[in-house]
Amino acid sequence: MEKITIKKDLFCLPWTQTILGTHLEGNVNFMALDWLTRVNYQPPMLGICVNRNNASSTAILDTQEFSVNVPNEDMVEITDYTGIVSGKSVDKSDLFPVFYGELKAAPMITSCPLTMECKLVKTVELPTNNFFIGEIINIYTEEQFLTDGKPDVKKIKPFLLTMPDNQFWSIGKNVGKAWSQGVAMRDRLNKGQKA
Amino acid sequence: MEKITIKKDLFCLPWTQTILGTHLEGNVNFMALDWLTRVNYQPPMLGICVNRNNASSTAILDTQEFSVNVPNEDMVEITDYTGIVSGKSVDKSDLFPVFYGELKAAPMITSCPLTMECKLVKTVELPTNNFFIGEIINIYTEEQFLTDGKPDVKKIKPFLLTMPDNQFWSIGKNVGKAWSQGVAMRDRLNKGQKA
């Protein structure tokens, strides 16, 4: 079928929904955060994209620390709320019970099944956003979210955001095993068989 | 329940599975790519994380261009294959039919429901990886993947990767509407009601 072009911000890669935790002028603050990724393998680093005008951007530049919190499906409403009111005008410090790890300005949300505390290592200034690269100092979870000692996505129950339809989605069914199904294909190709 | 720390690369944020397209010494090359995010709002930019030793890293530094292709659930096996054989030793140029947009070295996969061509604007060198920031020049899709003129995730059917369990997942059920459920909560709080 014919290819067509669409508006350049109209694309719906699903992003995992997280909540960014910072200290804004000494006060705990939170913001819904969708644009983030691993940016380095060793040591493990996360990169997060924050609008330069957001209070969270000021907070990170000030303290050089932040947390990334992964809410579960039961936290959709409160997560969305953190993204629609600004820390400049609304005090969000009482929204969640928090705990701290090694860092002083990376408040983590106790009710989130998975949380990370990060230390800023680099800020990339882009036209409308700051891209903050942080080294993951520690990851926190609970025994109930592990299977064989590893985080289990079906127990953690994160959710996803797609834009521009602005819908939240759960994780669906298993559709395969990575670094496994491709091995079988490689072996067939090596034997001169069809892919 | 008690919080515990886990190994720092043991966390399962679901990543949307994509395939990176490049020209490696003039030859079309592909690689499974999971670590990517929007990094700037206007103009729309994507950042992608590639191991420095990967052939794709050399290719992007050489041509300053790349494509990001979103495969659907039917493409799990071939997508996985692109991630387990290196372009240094295996010619992957015939794996997919490709098309081009404005750029000369950003081959896009015809069978992928959504593809983007990107021009490199900045390379962030990190300890083991290069983080390439590209401006999105064009996004391509087909009429059949749109609803009301916008990409529809339920028609595109992308899939996700979780690590370290290395499982692929489909998109599940709708669990809410973004910038909407939080508005109702804000209104309740503004009226002095409970969250």
Side-chain angles (χ1 to χ4, degrees), chain B residues 101-175:
Chain B
E102 289 181 40
L103 305 181
K104 302 294 179 212
M108 287 177 281
I109 300 173
T110 309
S111 50
C112 282
L114 199 76
T115 63
M116 295 171 252
E117 52 175 343
C118 300
K119 189 153 192 53
L120 186 69
V121 293
K122 193 187 271 278
T123 301
V124 184
E125 293 188 11
L126 294 167
T128 56
N129 294 71
N130 281 326
F131 188 69
F132 296 112
I133 294 177
E135 182 176 340
I136 300 173
I137 302 301
N138 280 297
I139 305 179
Y140 298 85
T141 187
E142 298 167 25
E143 201 64 47
Q144 62 174 319
F145 302 118
L146 303 180
T147 296
D148 299 331
K150 296 176 184 176
D152 184 329
V153 71
K154 283 299 191 181
K155 294 178 177 173
I156 291 173
K157 295 192 178 128
F159 58 98
L160 310 158
L161 171 71
T162 51
M163 293 183 277
D165 56 349
N166 300 341
Q167 299 292 332
F168 293 123
W169 306 93
S170 67
I171 307 298
K173 66 179 192 298
N174 188 283
V175 294

Side-chain angles (χ1 to χ4, degrees), chain A residues 39 52 122-133, chain B residues 37 39-40 43-50 56-57 60-66 118-126 129-137:
Chain A
V39 293
R52 290 234 215 137
K122 192 186 274 276
T123 301
V124 183
E125 292 188 12
L126 294 167
T128 55
N129 293 70
N130 281 324
F131 188 69
F132 296 113
I133 294 176
Chain B
T37 183
V39 293
N40 194 63
M45 293 181 184
L46 274 185
I48 66 169
C49 173
V50 183
S56 296
S57 197
I60 293 171
L61 288 171
D62 180 32
T63 67
Q64 312 273 303
E65 297 177 359
F66 60 90
C118 300
K119 189 153 192 53
L120 186 69
V121 293
K122 193 187 271 278
T123 301
V124 184
E125 293 188 11
L126 294 167
N129 294 71
N130 281 326
F131 188 69
F132 296 112
I133 294 177
E135 182 176 340
I136 300 173
I137 302 301

Side-chain angles (χ1 to χ4, degrees), chain A residues 1-16 18 35-46 49 70 73 76-78 80-81 83-85 95 99 109-110 112 114 116 122 124-129 131 133 136-144 146 149-154 156 158-186 188-189 195, chain B residues 1-16 18 35-46 49 70 73 76-78 80-81 83-85 95 99 109-110 112 114 116 122 124-129 131 133 136-144 146 149-154 156 158-186 188-189 195:
Chain A
M1 198 175 281
E2 194 190 357
K3 295 288 178 184
I4 55 176
T5 59
I6 54 173
K7 198 158 163 281
K8 279 183 268 184
D9 56 0
L10 274 189
F11 67 102
C12 62
L13 286 185
W15 311 112
T16 297
T18 69
W35 291 348
L36 78 159
T37 183
R38 272 284 284 272
V39 293
N40 194 64
Y41 180 61
Q42 284 301 339
M45 293 181 184
L46 274 185
C49 173
V70 182
E73 282 178 32
V76 166
E77 184 177 39
I78 198 165
D80 195 40
Y81 173 79
I84 58 167
V85 295
L95 215 48
F99 70 100
I109 300 173
T110 309
C112 282
L114 199 76
M116 294 171 253
K122 192 186 274 276
V124 183
E125 292 188 12
L126 294 167
T128 55
N129 293 70
F131 188 69
I133 294 176
I136 300 172
I137 302 301
N138 280 298
I139 305 180
Y140 298 84
T141 186
E142 297 167 26
E143 201 64 46
Q144 62 174 320
L146 304 180
K150 296 176 185 177
D152 184 329
V153 73
K154 283 299 190 182
I156 292 173
F159 59 97
L160 309 160
L161 171 70
T162 51
M163 291 183 276
D165 55 350
N166 301 342
Q167 297 293 334
F168 292 123
W169 306 93
S170 67
I171 307 297
K173 66 179 193 299
N174 188 283
V175 294
K177 177 117 175 88
W179 294 283
S180 172
Q181 287 179 256
V183 172
M185 182 171 163
R186 182 194 63 195
R188 288 197 304 278
L189 288 170
Chain B
M1 197 175 283
E2 194 190 358
K3 295 286 179 185
I4 54 176
T5 58
I6 53 173
K7 199 160 163 281
K8 277 183 268 184
D9 55 0
L10 274 189
F11 67 104
C12 62
L13 288 185
W15 311 113
T16 297
T18 69
W35 291 347
L36 78 160
T37 183
R38 272 286 282 272
V39 293
N40 194 63
Y41 180 59
Q42 284 301 339
M45 293 181 184
L46 274 185
C49 173
V70 182
E73 282 178 30
V76 167
E77 185 176 38
I78 198 164
D80 195 41
Y81 173 79
I84 59 167
V85 295
L95 215 47
F99 70 101
I109 300 173
T110 309
C112 282
L114 199 76
M116 295 171 252
K122 193 187 271 278
V124 184
E125 293 188 11
L126 294 167
T128 56
N129 294 71
F131 188 69
I133 294 177
I136 300 173
I137 302 301
N138 280 297
I139 305 179
Y140 298 85
T141 187
E142 298 167 25
E143 201 64 47
Q144 62 174 319
L146 303 180
K150 296 176 184 176
D152 184 329
V153 71
K154 283 299 191 181
I156 291 173
F159 58 98
L160 310 158
L161 171 71
T162 51
M163 293 183 277
D165 56 349
N166 300 341
Q167 299 292 332
F168 293 123
W169 306 93
S170 67
I171 307 298
K173 66 179 192 298
N174 188 283
V175 294
K177 177 116 176 90
W179 293 284
S180 172
Q181 287 181 255
V183 172
M185 181 171 163
R186 181 195 62 195
R188 287 197 303 279
L189 287 170

Side-chain angles (χ1 to χ4, degrees), chain A residues 19-20 27-32 75-87 90-98 107-112, chain B residues 182 185-186 188-190 193-195:
Chain A
I19 301 172
L20 176 63
N27 208 20
V28 170
N29 190 40
F30 296 107
M31 186 193 86
M75 299 172 70
V76 166
E77 184 177 39
I78 198 165
T79 302
D80 195 40
Y81 173 79
T82 67
I84 58 167
V85 295
S86 169
V90 175
D91 181 349
K92 292 183 261 188
S93 63
D94 286 337
L95 215 48
F96 305 100
V98 300
M108 288 177 281
I109 300 173
T110 309
S111 51
C112 282
Chain B
M185 181 171 163
R186 181 195 62 195
R188 287 197 303 279
L189 287 170
N190 281 347
Q193 297 170 349
K194 286 179 73 173

